[in-house]
Amino acid sequence: MPHQKFNACIEACNACAVACNHCATSCLHETDVKMMVKCIELDMDCAQICALAVAAMARGSAYAKAICALCADICQSCGDECAKHKMAHCQECAKACHHCAEECRKMAAAA
């Protein structure tokens, strides 16, 4: 199966999507939701691009490399934003996003 060579990236993308969905929902329950708007928006974008990247890699799409390159950029932005917030869900999300960005860069360079 050709997608097996992308297992590390697929796993990182799946973990990142879960972390971003959890973070976005948790941010909605914060006292000052307005302060969390950018974080929530990036969480949603990041979760969606991660899901798309997983699907593209799983089916061996010709666009998987380009999607993963974009995914790395979005994950990096999301992780950088989440890292600015002290809440545990944001800190966990930042770690997942930065790890995913790293794996997507590797995948895009190797594919």
Side-chain angles (χ1 to χ4, degrees):
M1 299 182 128
H3 71 277
Q4 287 177 328
K5 65 183 175 181
F6 304 130
N7 274 350
C9 191
I10 289 170
E11 289 175 14
C13 284
N14 279 327
C16 188
V18 169
C20 286
N21 282 319
H22 173 70
C23 187
T25 300
S26 296
C27 286
L28 289 171
H29 296 282
E30 292 296 334
T31 306
D32 187 1
V33 175
K34 282 191 166 208
M35 182 184 79
M36 305 307 296
V37 169
K38 186 173 181 183
C39 186
I40 295 165
E41 289 173 343
L42 283 167
D43 282 337
M44 292 189 303
D45 286 346
C46 194
Q48 288 296 307
I49 194 70
C50 285
L52 177 62
V54 167
M57 287 183 280
R59 67 177 176 269
S61 170
Y63 296 99
K65 179 178 178 177
I67 292 168
C68 284
L70 177 60
C71 187
D73 290 344
I74 294 172
C75 286
Q76 187 68 49
S77 293
C78 188
D80 291 349
E81 177 63 27
C82 285
K84 295 176 186 176
H85 304 285
K86 66 180 183 210
M87 292 75 84
H89 58 85
C90 284
Q91 291 299 309
E92 291 168 17
C93 189
K95 286 180 191 171
C97 288
H98 287 146
H99 177 66
C100 189
E102 181 183 326
E103 289 297 329
C104 282
R105 283 187 200 104
K106 287 181 196 173
M107 181 278 175

